[in-house]
């Protein structure tokens, strides 16, 4: 069963305006893993990551949030008492949002780590949301990554996609980024764009278009996250620690006054141009999606007997079943994916 995303708490953060940082030269920065180089997406090249105190605030978790490296790394932990989370101090209308994340190792079934944008605290029934959700698994099974797109409260058509990863996300830091512009949304894993959502007339208000805050959380998703809730969080392995670094918010900050929030004065921000993918980037995205996407809402005929307007469901149809799940790879297990939605 597909669960609605980011059900962790989202209290309203404070609203201190931050300037939009200028884009510097294209220099590949060192990641937060003790000088280990992490492959950042092109929009991040040359951008200075922020310290926690420059733009974020803790929203829940008490002592389960710890700062390291002069506030440039954040550890969020989950134990039997609570998870933890932080949020941006500002609302943004469009921008580029990124973090390097290292996920908990060993047994992590039921653990959910999320990095996402939402305005659910302001628009209870018409909220927008853009998610990376990291779904833990039993020992020996890999973490899965899910992206969600909600616009104007369209949780009934969450536009979920789920992927495996070409690396072990518990071994080191990897960058996960969301580029959100007026006309396009792009999700990145490291340098590779993995998903593009173009605004269309048919989508209407289902394309996220209201100011959102940025959140990062870890929480107990036992009810749905692993094989439909079959495997729950086992707290004998606690605490489960998710590490965040290279925190970047390059967006258009808006007033906390809802009446003024729709009209920020940012001119023409740099990230609008960054939403134009090169041919090389599109080929890399196609290869990632062909090799690593394990669920696609566009192929799910049980949830959507009629495909949503933006779907080209004829593409790669032979790889997916009527429930949207990808068939097992030849030479692997020769059967369906082991993930149940």
């Amino acid at each position: 069963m597909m669960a609605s995303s980011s059900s962790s708490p989202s209290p309203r953060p404070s609203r201190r305006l931050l300037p939009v940082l200028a884009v510097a030269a294209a220099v590949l920065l060192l990641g937060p893993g003790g000088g280990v180089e992490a492959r950042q997406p092109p929009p991040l090249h040359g951008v200075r990551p922020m310290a926690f105190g420059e733009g974020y605030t803790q929203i829940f978790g008490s002592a389960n949030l710890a700062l390291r490296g002069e506030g440039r790394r954040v550890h969020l932990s989950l134990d039997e008492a609570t998870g933890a989370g932080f949020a941006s101090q500002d609302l943004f209308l469009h921008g580029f949002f990124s973090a390097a994340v290292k996920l908990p190792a060993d047994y992590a079934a039921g653990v959910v780590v999320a990095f996402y944008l939402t305005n659910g605290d302001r628009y209870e029934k018409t909220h927008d949301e853009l998610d990376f959700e990291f779904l833990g698994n039993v020992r020996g099974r890999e973490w899965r990554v899910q992206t969600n797109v909600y616009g104007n409260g369209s949780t009934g058509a969450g536009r979920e996609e789920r992927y495996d990863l070409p690396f072990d996300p518990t071994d080191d830091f990897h960058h996960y980024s969301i580029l959100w512009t007026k006309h396009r949304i792009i999700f990145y894993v490291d340098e590779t764009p993995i998903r593009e959502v173009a605004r269309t007339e048919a989508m209407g208000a289902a394309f996220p278009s209201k100011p959102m805050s940025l959140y990062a959380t870890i929480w107990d998703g036992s009810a749905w996250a692993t094989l439909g809730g079959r495997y729950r969080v086992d707290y004998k392995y606690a605490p489960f620690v998710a590490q965040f670094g290279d925190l970047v918010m390059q967006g258009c900050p808006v007033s906390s006054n809802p009446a003024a929030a729709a009209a920020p004065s940012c001119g023409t921000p740099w990230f609008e141009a960054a939403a134009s993918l090169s041919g090389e980037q599109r080929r890399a995205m196609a290869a990632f999606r062909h090799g690593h996407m394990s669920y696609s809402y566009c192929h799910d005929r049980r949830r959507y007997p009629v495909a949503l307007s933006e779907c080209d469901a004829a593409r790669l149809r032979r790889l997916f079943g009527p429930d949207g799940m990808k068939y097992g790879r030849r030479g692997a297990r020769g059967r369906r994916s082991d993930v149940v939605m």
Side-chain angles (χ1 to χ4, degrees), residues 12-326:
R12 183 176 300 173
S14 61
R15 310 295 183 193
R16 185 185 64 192
L17 293 181
L18 297 174
V20 178
L21 300 176
V23 180
V27 178
L28 189 63
L29 302 178
L30 291 182
V36 175
E37 194 170 69
R39 296 177 298 133
Q40 298 175 323
L44 256 184
H45 292 179
V47 175
R48 183 185 67 86
M50 303 172 70
F52 185 86
E54 294 181 273
Y56 301 91
T57 186
Q58 183 172 1
I59 54 173
F60 74 103
S62 185
N64 284 17
L65 183 151
L67 300 181
R68 301 285 189 270
E70 298 182 341
R72 296 193 176 276
R73 293 194 301 276
V74 187
H75 289 194
L76 298 181
S77 61
L78 170 67
D79 56 28
E80 287 187 275
T82 184
F86 62 89
S88 63
Q89 297 172 2
D90 297 308
L91 285 164
F92 295 91
L93 184 61
H94 308 134
F96 182 80
F97 309 90
S98 183
V101 183
K102 184 177 179 181
L103 296 170
D106 204 9
Y107 186 100
V111 177
V112 179
V113 176
F115 179 69
Y116 60 106
L117 292 152
T118 187
N119 48 32
D121 60 330
R122 291 178 161 269
Y123 304 97
E124 182 179 355
K125 296 182 179 179
T126 59
H127 84 286
D128 305 297
E129 195 164 319
L130 296 171
D131 300 332
F132 271 108
E133 285 184 325
F134 306 93
L135 310 177
N137 220 325
V138 297
R139 184 184 287 113
R141 301 277 185 170
E142 65 271 23
W143 281 74
R144 302 284 176 153
V145 178
Q146 180 166 297
T147 59
N148 307 319
V149 176
Y150 302 117
N152 204 40
S154 58
T155 54
R159 295 175 165 85
E160 298 96 340
E161 290 186 354
R162 191 175 290 198
Y163 326 88
D164 55 33
L165 291 169
F167 51 79
D168 182 347
T170 73
D171 274 351
D172 207 343
F173 288 87
H174 290 269
H175 289 91
Y176 305 90
S177 311
I178 301 170
L179 177 62
W180 170 41
T181 74
K182 184 176 181 180
H183 301 291
R184 202 168 301 274
I185 298 160
I186 300 172
F187 293 85
Y188 292 84
V189 173
D190 290 328
E191 294 178 317
T192 304
I194 67 166
R195 181 179 184 183
E196 178 185 39
V197 180
R199 186 173 196 163
T200 64
E201 184 176 350
M203 285 183 70
F207 187 93
S209 58
K210 297 188 292 293
M212 294 190 277
S213 299
L214 180 67
Y215 291 85
T217 58
I218 186 170
W219 50 286
D220 186 331
S222 292
W224 65 273
T226 308
L227 289 174
R230 183 184 305 173
Y231 296 103
R232 306 180 68 82
V233 174
D234 188 341
Y235 284 103
K236 74 180 182 183
Y237 297 100
F240 303 95
V241 180
Q243 302 178 50
F244 289 79
D246 275 6
L247 299 171
V248 169
M249 291 188 296
Q250 296 261 310
C252 193
V254 300
S255 168
S256 59
N257 178 0
S265 55
C266 287
T268 303
W270 67 269
F271 46 78
E272 290 287 343
S276 179
L277 296 177
S278 68
E280 181 180 1
Q281 287 177 307
R282 291 195 175 280
R283 287 188 293 274
M285 180 168 64
F288 182 96
R289 294 173 66 78
H290 185 276
H292 298 286
M293 187 163 63
S294 60
Y295 170 84
S296 168
Y297 75 99
C298 280
H299 298 278
D300 192 338
R301 289 296 162 268
R302 295 179 183 174
R303 293 178 68 201
Y304 309 109
V306 177
L308 298 182
S309 61
E310 69 274 12
C311 292
D312 181 6
R315 296 186 63 189
L316 302 179
R317 176 173 289 178
R318 68 187 182 277
L319 299 179
F320 292 85
D323 58 356
M325 299 298 298
K326 188 176 185 179

